[in-house]
Amino acid sequence: MAKTAVRDAEQSKASAVSGLDSERLVEIYRLMYLSRRTDDREILLKRQQKIFFQISGAGHEALLVAAGMALKSGYDWFFPYYRDRALALTLGSTVEDMLLQAVGAAADPSSGGRQMPSHWGNTKLNIVSQSSATATQVLHAVGCAEAGRYFSRHPEAAEKHDGDYRQFKDVTFHGDEVVYTSLGEGSTSQGEFWEALNTASNLKLPVLFVVEDNGYAISVPVEVNTPGGNISTLVANFPNFYFAEVDGTDPIESYRVFEEAVAHCRAGKGPAFVHGHVTRPYSHSFSDDDRAYRPKSELEADSMRDPLQKMQMFLLREGILDAEAINRLEQQVDEEVRQAAERALRAPFPEPASIPLHVYSEDYDPTRTALQTKPAQTPDAQERTMADLINACMKDEMRRDPRIIVFGEDVADCSREEYLRDGQVKGKGGVFKLTAGLQAEFGSDRAFNSPLAEANIVGRAVGQAVRGLKPVVEIQFFDYFWPAMHQMRNELASMRWRSNGTFSSPAVIRVAIGGYLTGGSIYHSQSGESIFTHTPGVRVVFPSNALDANGLLRTAIRCDDPVLFLEHKRLYRETFGRAPYPGPDYMIPFGKAKTMREGTDLTIVTYGAVVPRALQAAQKAQREHGIETEIIDLRTLSPYDWEAIATSVKKTSRVIVAYEDMLSWGYGAEIAARIADELFEDLDAPVKRVAAMDTFVAYQPVLEDVILPQPEHIYQAIAKLAAY
Ligand SMILES: Cc1ncc(C[n+]2csc(CCOP(=O)(O)OP(=O)(O)O)c2C)c(N)n1
Ligand SMILES: [Mg+2]
């Protein structure tokens, strides 16, 4: 590919091929210039300390105007990154929109003053809110494309429905829509980039990946990030792709390539990958001075390729615009930018009272008591395990709501469907069999295996949920949640707040958690729920018994917020807490604890697998010392039932917080701190915690028993506290 400027003759030819008439060529230049001048204005405002951050799209304009022109605004979907100012302008964002974000105005349409400038987002234009994290958005684009395909195949799923999240999630889709996503060449080092290529390729999804290669990731040159220095050569073997490498400073050639790429995607042939070589004339951001790591010669060579100057020269040489016309056009744009800046600088700031808005859905309150239903009497009165009733809940909900899809590692019955059809195999349905029979009943569109990649699972769920699907995904072991942590913490949980309520991703993530497995060891015994309750925007649920698991999972699925649903492996098939099937509509509101045992002497606040252990300890304390222990099972950890805790502590004046995770910095720390703070007057003794040792969980059962909190530990704590 020619990395140097394309010569005039070639450009004219390309112009004829691409069918861009003079008017469109002028429009290309206008948009490129508008983008550059908006950057210039922001830089001025930053120097004047009227805005607080600036990152430019300079040098990337030609590629992005071409992309925007080849795609359909408000029809296709967009997951861009911070350099995509020219794309956003081409799609219809205004300079004022952009400067409102730069000044942090309440009227900033992307985030209401919550995000830095150049974090695009516009519901009308299908530009989905993005974070500052590099490469997370490409997985959202994959999920979004999956959703578009799903709704095309199952249009009935798009119908509105009262009474659950669907009431607030209007769905639109087009059979031939394309999903655009972009990233810098440095960001292609992120695993999520490769995870996205994997699924887009495998599923032949209509995702247009655009790599904007300006040769640097802040100060790191391309060959450090990309072996061999060229990403195109590395991705070339992914099946089903349209590939193109283009001089991204040439809008005409870029447009031609995008037209082909988009046609490939629209025709259902698979994804496309456009690698554009661009420049970066304004350093990485306002905070960076590239002269520290780029010699003058390199900067000069870059400036020779400046897309704006090249396009201006082209218009002049082709006789499309003369100097005076260019001058006029530029003056008009300058005036447009100046006026937009004036308006933005007058715009009111957001009110501090608005800060908590949109952390969670304002529309659907999963804590309202009206959600509580009674278990139905069904002909099936047999006692069921937690595993059975979670599986039953998923089946009931999938029958009720066609928007629910289930995926994760090993969750399908059998990916090779023909084996199931022939009756050759029974099917797997999850390593703990929690999803058994879902694929068989609902088909492979609705229950399927993911690649072995946790970020892939959660990242796709974000994109799907933005479009209105309800992904109920599984992370096989809590111990392996960590690759998905970035997607959970920085994307799933923040989508609603950071977009000021304009986008949301209410997915459910089911996770098998916890120890007491006799041999579970370090990597199959972890807890760590407090890391998630420390994340705003996500609900955290942790049932201790079959009936609660069923009712709470249903609430999670119908809810309008992302939910982390923690299922204790040890409780899946325990005799403790079995219950008959409560019918297809049994729900339990979030944030409502359950008193598992009444008592007057002492309160234990607990949840999960410690509940049955605390019950055992309480029985022994009663037998041995006549101590009456009250046990509160929190059931949901965020939100949690403070009222239930306070009522019980006021009654007993003594409290233990018992939890399976390590003692220090654990979930109990917050509960204990709040009790000490707000119930100090009601206490007759210090607040106690019983939890695991501050170590990992060992394989040898003799060690495991000592590390994790046992009934005996709790019993000892009860006896001591009662005597205090
Ligand atoms: C996950 C993550 N790691 C680090 C950063 C800090 N960071 C922001 S931009 C950037 C460089 C990106 O380079 P590239 O992908 O080439 O895009 P460019 O800025 O050159 O367009 C880095 C390291 C980040 N935002 N997100
Ligand atoms: Mg770069």
Side-chain angles (χ1 to χ4, degrees):
M1 107 107 219
K3 288 193 185 176
T4 52
V6 176
R7 288 203 307 277
D8 310 359
E10 283 169 325
Q11 270 194 335
S12 303
K13 207 170 69 202
S15 164
V17 171
S18 302
L20 290 167
D21 58 20
S22 302
E23 208 177 312
R24 294 206 85 198
L25 290 167
V26 171
E27 180 60 3
I28 288 174
Y29 180 68
R30 193 189 69 82
L31 286 163
M32 288 171 61
Y33 183 76
L34 182 66
S35 179
R36 183 71 63 93
R37 294 305 279 159
T38 306
D39 275 322
D40 291 337
R41 175 60 59 157
E42 279 192 1
I43 289 165
L44 184 68
L45 292 171
K46 173 75 180 105
R47 289 217 166 90
Q48 295 168 339
Q49 298 184 7
K50 289 178 175 157
I51 68 170
F52 320 100
F53 179 74
Q54 209 283 326
I55 193 155
S56 88
H60 294 226
E61 296 98 338
L63 184 74
L64 294 170
V65 171
M69 283 189 166
L71 288 155
K72 293 193 211 174
S73 180
Y75 182 100
D76 296 319
W77 285 78
F78 298 87
F79 294 79
Y81 84 118
Y82 49 81
R83 297 267 182 237
D84 286 19
R85 187 187 299 287
L87 173 88
L89 288 169
T90 306
L91 295 176
S93 289
T94 66
V95 176
E96 188 174 344
D97 288 346
M98 295 179 177
L99 296 181
L100 284 169
Q101 188 169 46
V103 299
D108 150 30
S110 305
S111 76
R114 292 173 172 191
Q115 289 225 77
M116 290 171 150
S118 297
H119 286 58
W120 328 110
N122 186 315
T123 44
K124 283 195 209 78
L125 305 177
N126 292 348
I127 305 176
V128 177
S129 164
Q130 70 245 230
S131 73
S132 303
T134 56
T136 43
Q137 72 278 10
V138 291
L139 282 168
H140 308 165
V142 168
C144 175
E146 289 179 274
R149 172 178 294 175
Y150 184 87
F151 285 121
S152 299
R153 286 184 182 165
H154 308 273
E156 73 287 355
E159 278 164 28
K160 239 183 150 124
H161 192 281
D162 282 348
D164 63 30
Y165 71 96
R166 285 174 288 178
Q167 198 177 333
F168 318 105
K169 274 277 187 201
D170 290 341
V171 170
T172 56
F173 61 96
H174 308 281
D176 65 347
E177 67 190 37
V178 175
V179 181
Y180 165 101
T181 187
S182 62
L183 73 171
E185 88 295 333
S187 304
T188 62
S189 290
Q190 297 282 3
E192 284 153 306
F193 167 71
W194 299 95
E195 293 182 18
L197 292 184
N198 175 337
T199 301
S201 172
N202 246 340
L203 304 185
K204 290 177 84 172
L205 293 169
V207 180
L208 168 55
F209 293 86
V210 179
V211 174
E212 301 174 28
D213 187 345
N214 55 22
Y216 278 89
I218 308 187
S219 68
V220 181
V222 59
E223 69 277 12
V224 175
N225 268 302
T226 307
N230 186 315
I231 191 66
S232 282
T233 58
L234 300 187
V235 299
N237 283 329
F238 277 96
N240 304 321
F241 267 88
Y242 165 92
F243 289 109
E245 190 178 0
V246 65
D247 177 357
T249 65
D250 176 352
I252 299 162
E253 181 58 10
S254 299
Y255 180 75
R256 189 188 65 75
V257 158
F258 278 124
E259 285 233 301
E260 284 181 15
V262 169
H264 177 87
C265 294
R266 285 213 204 287
K269 292 180 181 164
F273 185 94
V274 174
H275 175 196
H277 292 274
V278 295
T279 65
R280 200 194 68 178
Y282 288 179
S283 289
H284 172 73
S285 71
F286 189 84
S287 326
D288 173 50
D289 181 355
D290 59 4
R291 287 170 303 186
Y293 52 87
R294 297 183 80 181
K296 217 166 160 204
S297 55
E298 196 181 291
L299 292 169
E300 273 168 14
D302 235 25
S303 75
M304 297 301 287
R305 295 174 58 227
D306 188 280
L308 218 62
Q309 281 173 29
K310 279 174 53 183
M311 190 58 187
Q312 193 189 81
M313 292 303 290
F314 170 78
L315 293 177
L316 285 168
R317 271 201 304 267
E318 292 290 310
I320 296 168
L321 288 183
D322 59 17
E324 203 194 312
I326 288 188
N327 209 1
R328 238 188 348 261
L329 179 151
E330 292 186 349
Q331 274 178 8
Q332 276 167 5
V333 167
D334 290 348
E335 185 54 20
E336 179 182 342
V337 173
R338 197 190 58 73
Q339 285 185 14
E342 249 180 34
R343 285 193 299 270
L345 286 168
R346 285 200 305 266
F349 297 153
E351 294 292 333
S354 71
I355 294 167
L357 276 181
H358 309 303
V359 174
Y360 298 102
S361 171
E362 308 295 324
D363 300 315
Y364 186 94
D365 176 10
T367 69
R368 63 189 191 280
T369 32
L371 290 181
Q372 180 69 61
T373 41
K374 283 209 170 71
Q377 299 277 340
T378 75
D380 177 6
Q382 203 189 321
E383 298 267 295
R384 301 281 174 191
T385 65
M386 185 191 271
D388 292 338
L389 289 195
I390 289 174
N391 180 268
C393 176
M394 281 191 279
K395 284 186 175 154
D396 286 340
E397 287 301 292
M398 287 177 86
R399 283 174 202 139
R400 200 184 73 89
D401 177 359
R403 292 196 196 177
I404 298 172
I405 58 169
V406 170
F407 65 103
E409 294 158 14
D410 298 288
V411 304
D413 290 316
C414 182
S415 284
R416 293 180 177 163
E417 288 175 353
E418 63 275 19
Y419 297 165
L420 279 178
R421 273 199 301 272
D422 302 348
Q424 293 184 56
V425 298
K426 181 161 117 284
K428 177 120 180 123
V431 292
F432 297 104
K433 302 241 176 293
L434 273 277
T435 51
L438 298 188
Q439 182 193 1
E441 179 172 347
F442 302 102
S444 303
D445 275 7
R446 299 189 64 193
F448 51 91
N449 286 326
S450 72
L452 207 174
E454 286 75 12
N456 176 291
I457 298 168
V458 177
R460 285 161 69 189
V462 171
Q464 293 163 352
V466 159
R467 289 293 297 276
L469 278 183
K470 175 63 79 169
V472 180
V473 302
E474 178 174 304
I475 297 289
Q476 201 164 72
F477 293 94
F478 183 88
D479 314 65
Y480 308 122
F481 197 95
W482 311 120
M485 189 67 194
H486 189 37
Q487 284 288 349
M488 203 290 303
R489 177 69 173 75
N490 282 334
E491 303 294 343
L492 183 81
S494 72
M495 181 63 80
R496 189 188 293 273
W497 188 87
R498 76 180 191 223
S499 68
N500 203 20
T502 55
F503 290 97
S504 64
S505 47
V508 177
I509 307 177
R510 297 179 35 251
V511 191
I513 192 171
Y516 299 111
L517 301 182
T518 314
S521 187
I522 317 181
Y523 301 110
H524 299 84
S525 304
Q526 289 177 26
S527 297
E529 55 278 6
S530 62
I531 297 169
F532 297 89
T533 53
H534 196 59
T535 300
V538 65
R539 312 279 190 182
V540 182
V541 182
F542 201 157
S544 73
N545 59 77
L547 192 62
D548 285 356
N550 184 281
L552 289 166
L553 181 58
R554 190 165 284 104
T555 307
I557 290 173
R558 297 184 187 184
C559 173
D560 199 25
D561 296 313
V563 181
L564 188 71
F565 194 83
L566 302 173
E567 302 169 1
H568 202 289
K569 289 167 269 186
R570 182 60 205 261
L571 297 176
Y572 272 152
R573 293 185 168 78
E574 198 96 312
T575 322
F576 167 81
R578 292 189 183 188
Y581 168 65
D585 281 308
Y586 180 60
M587 287 176 83
I588 300 172
F590 289 170
K592 303 284 181 278
K594 186 171 176 186
T595 305
M596 300 296 280
R597 187 183 198 281
E598 305 253 357
T600 46
D601 298 329
L602 188 145
T603 300
I604 297 182
V605 178
T606 189
Y607 54 91
V610 182
V611 171
R613 286 160 182 78
L615 281 167
Q616 266 178 272
Q619 278 158 15
K620 186 170 172 189
Q622 205 247 354
R623 255 194 339 264
E624 310 265 317
H625 305 287
I627 302 167
E628 291 299 347
T629 304
E630 180 144 302
I631 297 180
I632 309 280
D633 177 359
L634 287 177
R635 309 201 285 190
T636 50
L637 307 185
S638 178
Y640 66 94
D641 193 344
W642 173 247
E643 222 177 282
I645 296 171
T647 307
S648 180
V649 171
K650 281 179 182 165
K651 179 168 77 172
T652 64
S653 304
R654 284 175 165 76
V655 60
I656 295 169
V657 190
Y659 53 103
E660 181 182 333
D661 198 6
M662 291 173 293
L663 181 81
S664 303
W665 321 106
Y667 185 78
E670 174 63 27
I671 304 296
R674 187 162 175 196
I675 293 170
D677 179 3
E678 295 183 32
L679 303 174
F680 183 70
E681 306 285 330
D682 301 290
L683 290 171
D684 286 342
V687 184
K688 287 286 169 200
R689 286 171 294 160
V690 176
M693 289 173 66
D694 289 333
T695 178
F696 303 100
V697 178
Y699 171 68
Q700 168 54 245
V702 166
L703 304 184
E704 184 193 286
D705 283 352
V706 177
I707 291 164
L708 294 177
Q710 306 297 338
E712 185 58 23
H713 298 134
I714 304 170
Y715 164 73
Q716 296 290 349
I718 295 173
K720 222 165 133 185
L721 193 64
Y724 188 89

